[in-house]
Amino acid sequence: MEFDAIVIGGGHAGIEAALVNARLGFRTLMITQNLDCIGKLSCNPAVGGLAKGNMVREIDALGGEMGRLIDATMIQFRVLNRSRGPAVQAPRAQADKPAYQTAAKKTLERQPNLDLFQDTVVDFILDGSGRRICGVVTERGRRFSASVVVLTTGTFLNGKIFVGEYSTSAGRIGEPAAHGLDRPLRELGFTMGRMKTGTPARVSRRSLDFDKLETQFGDDEIVPFSFSHTGVDRPKLPCFITYTNTATHDILRENMSRSPLFSGTIVGAGARYCPSIEDKVMKFPDRDRHHVFIEPEGLDTEEMYLNGLSSSMPEDVQEAFIRTIPGLENAVIVRPGYAVEYDFMDPMQLTPALESKIVEGLFVAGQTNGSSGYEEAAAQGLMAGINAARKLQKAPPVVLTRAEAYIGVLIDDLVTLGTKEPYRMFTSRAEHRLSLRHDSSDMRLCRTGFEIGLHSQERWGKFLEKQSSIDEMKELLRNRHLNETDCAHTPESLSRHVGKSFYQALKSPETTLADLVALEPEGLGGRPVEWIRQVELDVKYEGYVARQDRQVDRFRRMENMRIPEGFEYDRIDGISSEAREKFKKIQPISIGQASRISGVRNSDLALLMVVLGRRPARAV
Amino acid sequence: MSTDEETTPDADSDGAYDPIAALATPYAQSAVAVIRASGARVIELVAPLFSRPEKLRDARRYTIVHGRFHGRDGRTIDEVLVNVFRAPNSYTGEDSVEINSHGSLPVIERILETLYSSGFRPAEPGEFTLRAFLSGKLDLTRAEAVNEIIRARSDRARSLAMNRLGGSIERAIDSVKGRLVDILARVEIQLDYPEEDTGEVVIPPEVIDETIVRLESLVATYRIGRVYQEGVRVAIAGRTNAGKSSLFNLFVREDRSIVSDVPGTTRDYIEATTIIDGVPVRLFDTAGLRVSEDTIETEGVRRSESILGTAGLVVYVVDGIEGVVADDKRRIEQISDRVPCIVAWNKIDLVDARVCPSGFIGISAETGDNVEALRASIAARITPELGVVDGRPVIDSVRQKDLIERALVALRETKVGVDGGVPVDAVAIDLQEAIRALGEITGEVTTDDILDAMFSGFCVGK
C-alpha cells in the first residue's frame, strides 16, 4: 500500500505527527500496536504544568491537537504559581484518562486522509542508496511505502518492566514491547541507549479514608489551553493530599535490596526530577516526609493515582509502605507501580527539523529521543510531523528558535546537547523565559501555524482581530496621559503618575490595567479578560524583557549564521580536536547552535566562521 | 516595573553591534599603545572624552585627530592621536576609533577604564576579527592569521594569570558564584515545582548583601593587584647634587631591574623597575628640585612634581655635607603632607659629612654603606599596605574588575527588585546576569550546572 507519510506509534507524538500530515493533505498512515491504546496517558492523569503548560499552548497556536484534547476532557484546572510572576505561571489540568484516549482516537478516526492500522513495524524499506527511507515492514509481513516516516516508539522499543523481582518484556504493564526495529536501527549506525522511567500504583477510590486527606480543589476560572476555545465547561473533581512518614521510609529502607533500581537489574538512566519514592528516601535521608497527591484517573473510573509514590518495589512492599500513609491504611492496589526501561536513540543524530542525519526521510519524536512527558512528546511529534510534511512539499523546514518557543528550546537542547536522562522541560532551561509566557503563545506562533497551513481562515481572522485589538490598546495607553481629573476617583497609587502616559503608569507595580480601564472604559474596555491581561503583562514586563534580550542578544545574531549542510570540518586547520569531533557528530545548522555545544571555544567558532568564507545574513 | 523604563535603543538598529573596546597592542610598557573601539555609536561615545569632540564627530572618512584624552572627571589622561574610521571603511566594518596613546601601563589602564565606564564593554578575544568577518571585511587568509595570533595571546595571557595568582581569584569568585548558583537553583526549583513543599520563593536579601560586600572587597583589591602588576611608585627626590642619581643607580644595579627612559621626557625623570622585598617597585629619579631660569629644566621640574604627586612613597635625599637647608625643610614638609616620606642622609662616607640626626637614615649612595637599612625602611613602608593581601586573592586586570562590577550592578538590581516586590521571575534575570558575569572570569555556568544544583539539593518530582 502506498502512502505519503507513515507515523509509527499512536502516543502523544504520533497523534500530532499523523494529524499534521493528514491535515496538510498527505495520505497518511498511523501504525500502532494497539488501536485501543491511542493517546493513552501512561503515567499521571494530568496535562500541563510549569513550562509544559506553555508547550501545550504553543502546540495549539501552531495548529496541534493537544490543547483541544485536554480542554475537552479535563476534570480540574489550575494555574500554578499564580502569585509568582507571569513568566512562571502555567496552566495544568487533571485529565479524565479514558475520555482523553477516546477523544484522541475519535479525532484521528475522523480525520480525512488518515488511516489507522494495528500492527508492529519491524523493519524499514530503504532505497538503493540505503540512506533514504521508502517504507516500512510490519510484524505480520505487511509492507507500506511512504517517502517520509515519523518514528515515535515511546517506551515500547525493547521495553521491559520491573516490579520487584518480577520483570517482563512490555512497554506498559499488560502491553507487549515492540521488538525488531532496534536491529535495523543499529545496523544503520544509530547510537542507541537505555532509559528508565516509572509510575506509581493505582488504588481503588473506595478504599481511601478521605477524612484523613486534605482536599485540593482546582480554580474556578478556567483558561482554555486552546486559543480557539472561549471557555471550558466540564465537571470538576478534587485531588487529595497526604504525606509519607518515617514508618513508610523504614519499610522502603528495609527492602531496598529487593528494588531492581538498587540491585542493579535496571541499567537505563532515570531522571533526577522524576524520582521514585525509593530514590527520594535514599537520596534525602533527612526528610521525614514526602508529599503524596492522590489524583482521580477519570469520571467513570474508581482508580486513583498516587502521585509521588512512583515505585518498582515488589508488590508486597508497595502495599506495606502505602498502607503506612494516613488515609491509605486500607488502600487496595488495583495496579502496582512499576519501572520501565526502553531503547532510545541519541537525538544528536537528528537535524533541528528532527530528521535523521543518517536516513533521509526518517523523522524521530518523543521518548525515542530521550525526552520525558506527554507535552514534550507532543511538541516533538508536531514539529517532526510538520517537517515531514514540509519535506513532502519540498519546502524548507520549520525550526523554532529558543527565543520564540519552549518547543524551540526543547528541540535545540535535544539535538545540540543530547541528553543523559529523560529530558524534561523546565522554565529554567529557557533563557528567554520572560518572553515565553503561556498567554502569549498565539502572538508568538499563530502566524507560523497559519503559514504552514494548519489554521483555518476563520481562526486566522480571529487571531488578527485579537492582535489588532491588543495593538489598539497599547497605542491608546501610549497616547493617553493621566490628568488631575482622572485622579479624583482612582486609587491613590495612581495620583503620583499624573502627567505620565497610561503606558508609563502601568509599569509601576501597584498600577493595574483595570484601574486604567476604569478611566477609559470606551477605549480599553469591552474586551476578553485574557486580552487585557496580555496587554498588562506585555507592558509591565517590557523593561525586563528588554534586559533579558540584551543579555542573550549575542546568541541571536549567531543563530542567523547558517552552516551549509555537509560542511567538511576536516577542512579547517586549527580548531580543537574536541570541537572538530563534536561539530562532525552534531552537524550544527548555525553558528548559534555550534556555540552551545559543550567544549567548543570562542576561537573555534571564530575560525569556523572565517573558514565558512561567506558573509552571513545580518540579524533582523 | 519601574526599574528599567528607559529602554536603550537596540544596538543593531544601524547594523552595528554593541560598542566594545580593547587594547590592540600587547599589554606591556612600550612607546605607543593602540586602543581599538568599535560598534554602534562609538564616535558619539568617545567624543565627550576627547578635547576636540567636534573633530571626531565631523570626521566623515578616515581622519587622524590630535588632542587630549580625558577621564569622565575631565582630567587629562594623555595626549593622544585618535584615528576615526567610518563604516564600512574600518577593520571591523563598523564605525571605529583607534586611540594611540603613550604606552605606559597606567595610561592604558586609565583609558580603558574610562571607556568601560562610558558605554563600552571589554572585547572578548577575537571579537574584532569576528566582527570584521561578519561584515565581510576580512578575507580568509588574513582572518585566519589574525585569529591565530589572538588565540595564542589569549591563551598565554590566561596561563600567565593562572600562574601568578595560583588560582586564588578563581577560588574566591567561584565561592561567590557558587552561593549565587545555590540561590538561583533554590528559586528555580521553587518556580518549576510550585506544588511541592520546597518552601516559599525567597531570594535572601542578607545573602545578596553579603555577596555584594565580598565582591566590593574584591574590587577594592584591584588597587593592590595593580601594585603587584605595575609596581609601587617610589620617587627619589632632593636638591641637585644631593646624590639622587647615585642612589637610583645603586638600586637599579640589581639583576632584576629594568631601566627605561620615559619617551619624550629626557630631561624630567628616569624610571626603573626593581623588586624590593618581593614587591615590584617603580623607581623614579626626579630632576633636581630647584627653581631654575632654564625653561626646559623648569618644565622638567614641573613634571617631577607631578611624579611626586602620584608616588606611593618618596625617598628624599639630603646632602649630608650641607645638612638640611631651608629649601629641603620646606620640600620635606610639603611632600610629607601628601605621601609617606623617608629622608636619607647621604654621603656619610665622606669626612665632611655631618652626623646623621635621628629620624634620618644615613647612607652612602656612592659606597653602598647602610643602603640595606634604607631598603628595609622602604620595604617596611610599602608592605604594610600590601600586607593585607597575604593569602587573599587580588584582582589585577581591568577586565576582571569590569566583570565583577557588572556582577555588582546586577546584584544591586536584584536587591532593588527583591525589596520592591518585583516578581521573582523578573528578578532572576538580574541574578542570572550576575552569575554570567562572574562566569566569564572563572568559566561559564550552564543550565546543566543550575539543574545539578537544583536536583542535588532538593527532593522534588512526582
Side-chain angles (χ1 to χ4, degrees), chain B residues 26-97:
Chain B
Y27 184 80
Q29 189 85 28
S30 59
V32 178
V34 178
I35 289 162
R36 179 180 281 158
S38 179
R41 299 183 298 126
V42 59
I43 292 163
E44 225 174 288
L45 291 171
V46 170
L49 307 171
F50 190 61
S51 56
R52 300 160 75 198
E54 71 291 343
K55 283 283 180 195
L56 300 187
R57 292 197 185 104
D58 294 347
R60 286 290 137 235
R61 53 191 180 80
Y62 176 58
T63 311
I64 302 177
V65 189
H66 173 250
R68 289 184 311 280
F69 191 92
H70 51 75
R72 283 158 70 86
D73 56 4
R75 289 170 63 175
T76 300
I77 295 175
D78 197 11
E79 223 176 278
V80 297
L81 292 176
V82 177
N83 304 2
V84 181
F85 302 87
R86 284 292 184 178
N89 300 314
S90 70
Y91 179 70
T92 56
E94 306 171 316
D95 280 355
S96 304
V97 301

Side-chain angles (χ1 to χ4, degrees), chain B residues 307-366:
Chain B
I307 290 291
L308 289 178
T310 58
L313 177 71
V314 173
V315 176
Y316 192 93
V317 184
V318 172
D319 186 334
I321 296 171
E322 294 184 19
V324 178
V325 300
D327 195 24
D328 286 328
K329 196 166 182 301
R330 190 173 52 79
R331 292 281 174 188
I332 292 170
E333 277 169 11
Q334 262 178 11
I335 293 166
S336 302
D337 278 352
R338 291 179 296 184
V339 281
C341 182
I342 296 170
V343 186
W345 188 269
N346 193 21
K347 307 185 183 174
I348 55 167
D349 58 313
L350 300 182
V351 284
D352 302 354
R354 305 184 188 191
V355 177
C356 175
S358 73
F360 291 58
I361 299 170
I363 57 159
S364 168
E366 209 58 49

Side-chain angles (χ1 to χ4, degrees), chain A residues 316-370:
Chain A
D316 58 307
V317 180
Q318 289 193 32
E319 184 174 276
F321 82 71
I322 286 172
R323 289 188 171 181
T324 61
I325 299 171
L328 298 175
E329 292 89 344
N330 300 307
V332 173
I333 295 177
V334 295
R335 304 182 203 227
Y338 62 90
V340 57
E341 198 187 58
Y342 52 94
D343 282 357
F344 82 105
M345 297 161 63
D346 181 354
M348 289 196 282
Q349 302 167 103
L350 301 178
T351 71
L354 294 178
E355 183 177 6
S356 163
K357 293 170 197 163
I358 298 174
V359 176
E360 193 182 348
L362 178 65
F363 292 78
V364 188
Q367 273 166 304
T368 321
N369 284 337

Side-chain angles (χ1 to χ4, degrees), chain A residues 445-465:
Chain A
L445 300 169
C446 202
R447 175 172 296 277
T448 306
F450 177 70
E451 285 167 359
I452 294 167
L454 290 172
H455 292 321
S456 64
Q457 279 297 338
E458 187 200 348
R459 178 162 178 185
W460 178 239
K462 282 195 174 142
F463 168 76
L464 290 179
E465 190 188 322

Side-chain angles (χ1 to χ4, degrees), chain B residues 207-219 408:
Chain B
V207 178
I208 299 293
D209 282 340
E210 217 184 290
T211 310
I212 288 175
V213 170
R214 284 176 70 180
L215 288 179
E216 277 171 345
S217 75
L218 260 185
V219 168
L408 276 168

Side-chain angles (χ1 to χ4, degrees), chain A residues 2-247:
Chain A
E2 291 195 0
F3 290 88
D4 298 314
I6 292 173
V7 175
I8 303 170
H12 305 284
I15 291 170
E16 302 290 352
L19 287 173
V20 165
N21 279 277
R23 284 171 180 163
L24 292 179
F26 296 108
R27 285 269 297 140
T28 307
L29 174 69
M30 174 191 277
I31 305 176
T32 175
Q33 294 203 112
N34 187 343
L35 289 177
D36 295 328
C37 297
I38 284 174
K40 206 164 186 175
L41 299 163
S42 322
C43 196
N44 64 325
V47 169
L50 265 287
K52 291 163 169 272
N54 302 48
M55 281 198 290
V56 177
R57 303 205 76 188
E58 289 173 0
I59 290 168
D60 182 77
L62 288 166
E65 200 58 29
M66 185 171 243
R68 283 192 285 248
L69 290 173
I70 185 61
D71 280 350
T73 58
M74 66 171 73
I75 50 179
Q76 189 193 95
F77 176 87
R78 294 205 303 142
V79 171
L80 306 180
N81 270 341
R82 212 180 258 286
S83 61
R84 283 177 177 171
V88 293
Q89 289 180 16
R92 179 179 192 269
Q94 295 300 135
D96 182 327
K97 278 186 172 182
Y100 190 97
Q101 267 177 263
T102 307
K105 184 166 176 238
K106 196 154 84 182
T107 307
L108 295 180
E109 285 171 336
R110 296 182 180 184
Q111 175 63 46
N113 296 327
L114 177 60
D115 287 359
L116 306 181
F117 187 70
Q118 179 163 318
D119 204 342
T120 301
V121 173
V122 294
D123 205 354
F124 299 118
I125 305 170
L126 303 174
D127 75 353
S129 73
R131 290 291 165 199
R132 197 190 156 92
I133 204 146
C134 338
V136 300
V137 182
T138 71
E139 199 170 47
R140 299 198 301 275
R142 297 289 299 272
R143 297 171 74 85
F144 298 98
S145 71
S147 42
V148 293
V149 171
V150 184
L151 183 65
T152 70
T153 55
T155 60
F156 279 77
L157 197 56
N158 283 336
K160 193 173 181 189
I161 67 165
F162 300 85
V163 186
E165 296 87 354
Y166 170 86
S167 84
T168 189
S169 164
R172 264 186 299 253
I173 194 163
E175 296 178 39
H179 298 286
L181 210 49
D182 57 305
R183 185 190 47 81
L185 286 172
R186 281 178 216 277
E187 282 172 8
L188 283 164
F190 287 95
T191 306
M192 316 281 289
R194 294 289 275 176
M195 279 205 179
K196 173 254 151 188
T197 184
T199 194
R202 317 302 200 261
V203 296
S204 156
R205 168 184 282 270
R206 66 175 178 221
S207 67
L208 306 182
D209 183 351
F210 289 96
D211 291 344
K212 294 186 180 162
L213 304 175
E214 290 169 38
T215 308
Q216 187 186 41
F217 294 100
D219 296 351
D220 288 331
E221 184 205 355
I222 295 179
V223 182
F225 281 89
S226 173
F227 290 96
S228 58
H229 291 160
T230 49
V232 168
D233 186 21
R234 290 279 306 160
K236 291 172 184 156
L237 290 186
C239 296
F240 303 91
I241 300 173
T242 184
Y243 299 91
T244 63
N245 53 53
T246 50

